[in-house]
Amino acid sequence: MFNLFSQMILLPKSSMRRVVYLFSFIILSLSSCKTIQPPQPVHSYEEYAVKAKASSLNLTLTSDIAEVESFVNKKVNGLIYEDNDRTNNNNDNLLIKAWKSDRIELGLDGNELTWEVPLKLWIKAYYSVGALGFSVTDSKEFSGEIVLKFKTRMELQSDWSFNTKTRTNGYIWKQKPVMKAGPVEIPIGFMADYLLKSNSDMMSKVIDQTIHDQFNLKKYAAEAWSNIQKPQLVSPEYDIWISIRPIAISSSPLQANKGKIIHKLNLKAQSECFTWRPPLMAEVPLPNLSLTPDKSDDFEIAVHTRMTYPWLNKQARQYIQGKSFESGSRFIRIDSVNIYASKDRLIVQTQVSGSIKGTLYFKGIPVYDSVNQCINIREFDYDLSTRNILHRSANWLLEGAITRKISHYLTFPLKDHINTVKQEMNNYLTAQKLTDDITLKGNLKDIMIGEVYLIPEGLIIPVTLKGKLQAAFTSAP
């Protein structure tokens, strides 16, 4: 080294000047290409505790009387009424059988259900003939066809059963009954009229029992209640799922209008939509029916939209990886990007080269931009450890120009994603069957975006969709 300096002293002044410049350039280059390696911010995440707001699924079960009639005729066939005890009904000495002989016709009279029930009758009457202290018991058979008319008022009970009150409303003979006396048949319509009148209360009770047995509303309600709780795949292409957590259900009195039976139900539920398969939850059993109607008619569903870290990294690498950012005569080049979370901050870890090399950590708060319908990073800046190191060794990076340029590129679009979820949900609700007989129909319009959350899998953006939801009853063929 002494010899080197001795030789430099002997150099001409012009050569000496060039050597000084060379050493200055080397020293400046070494000092301006520093390597920095701040400590990494820890991985930590928020607890995602956003629950869907309990909202109303206003279910209007509109049943065309023709559909109900089809349902009744499918369920009620063959032997309808049978009395095999001639000692009942004040010892009327009658045995009666009645079979459905044709299609039962239903109608509406105000809020009452009207029935026309065509029956084939078989009646056996016992009688005694006495003489000289002796009595002989004999019997005669009658047959005929009749259309019985009834009116039924139905009231729904809290246990999902119907309280019905049926009364007779006349009858029409299609074939008056005759008594068989050997080979001769003797018409005795007047006697049959009397017999029917004396058994009208019994017939009305049979109608009420038939309604109770065949219109098992609790069975359908329990099936629909169970099915609605099962997560449903809305869109396999976008992995969109819907999950509905029912809480309570109320009912308005049955109404009739223009050939339709209208039953309004209001289901309180937490309705959620996920862009991944939701966790399974214990099923909530069917509660008693509240008979105090809830008149709210808005349906609201909370959509949990997720942006995973792999997806965020893919977007960020597309936007900024390989790009150079300048500040005056100095620059950095982003060689790699990795995004993760540290508490409520999004961390952008970058490997850089250029005027400096090493690792830079940026942090910021992800927020929803309602104007541009995207996720931006607010308060984007170096994390504290990175800032402290830069302050000592590369304070030109702290001027803010580079952080502003990088944050401009870190914008994640959400508009298409939300519109896809909305469209897929509306397609799903166009005609979604809860049971073989009950179909959901709905439409979602309004959109509200909530606060962004950071979880181990990525960003969660709660989205609320509002609209209307109805249900229609259709008798299966």
Side-chain angles (χ1 to χ4, degrees), residues 339-372:
I339 295 177
Y340 65 95
S342 182
K343 295 184 179 179
D344 62 343
R345 295 292 191 272
L346 201 63
I347 303 297
V348 181
Q349 177 183 357
T350 61
Q351 294 295 323
V352 301
S353 59
S355 301
I356 65 167
K357 65 178 181 179
T359 306
L360 297 178
Y361 293 100
F362 301 88
K363 66 177 181 178
I365 303 172
V367 294
Y368 176 68
D369 179 351
S370 60
V371 176
N372 299 304

Side-chain angles (χ1 to χ4, degrees), residues 13 31 33 56 94 115 162 176 178 203 207 243 257 361 407:
K13 287 185 178 180
S31 64
C33 191
S56 296
L94 294 176
W115 305 68
F162 282 110
K176 285 194 174 184
V178 295
M203 290 288 189
I207 293 287
S243 176
N257 185 34
Y361 293 100
S407 66

Side-chain angles (χ1 to χ4, degrees), residues 2-148:
F2 176 78
N3 291 335
L4 176 62
F5 279 105
S6 299
Q7 295 174 12
M8 290 176 61
I9 293 171
L10 298 175
L11 286 173
K13 287 185 178 180
S14 59
S15 299
M16 182 67 174
R17 193 178 298 111
R18 286 196 296 271
V19 170
V20 171
Y21 287 160
L22 176 62
F23 271 97
S24 299
F25 176 77
I26 293 172
I27 293 170
L28 179 62
S29 299
L30 289 174
S31 64
S32 63
C33 191
K34 295 179 180 178
T35 299
I36 64 172
Q37 191 65 49
Q40 182 181 25
V42 297
H43 291 249
S44 61
Y45 306 94
E46 297 178 283
E47 179 181 355
Y48 181 61
V50 173
K51 295 296 182 183
K53 177 184 175 183
S55 64
S56 296
L57 284 73
N58 199 50
L59 308 180
T60 302
L61 301 181
T62 303
S63 306
D64 193 291
I65 195 65
E67 296 287 352
V68 179
E69 182 179 295
S70 175
F71 178 82
V72 169
N73 279 283
K74 182 176 66 175
K75 296 292 186 180
V76 180
N77 286 292
L79 185 65
I80 292 177
Y81 176 72
E82 184 175 19
D83 179 4
N84 288 322
D85 186 358
R86 63 189 178 97
T87 63
N88 64 5
N89 297 327
N90 297 318
N91 292 307
D92 61 2
N93 285 315
L94 294 176
L95 302 181
I96 302 175
K97 289 184 179 181
W99 294 266
K100 177 185 169 185
S101 63
D102 203 345
R103 186 175 179 82
I104 297 173
E105 294 184 2
L106 270 67
L108 292 170
D109 184 5
N111 283 346
E112 291 186 311
L113 193 64
T114 63
W115 305 68
E116 290 190 1
V117 185
L119 298 174
K120 180 180 179 180
L121 298 176
W122 172 85
I123 304 171
K124 189 172 186 178
Y126 288 83
Y127 60 93
S128 297
V129 178
L132 301 175
F134 295 94
S135 65
V136 177
T137 300
D138 200 355
S139 63
K140 295 296 180 181
E141 294 182 2
F142 307 88
S143 63
E145 291 190 23
I146 194 171
V147 177
L148 296 182

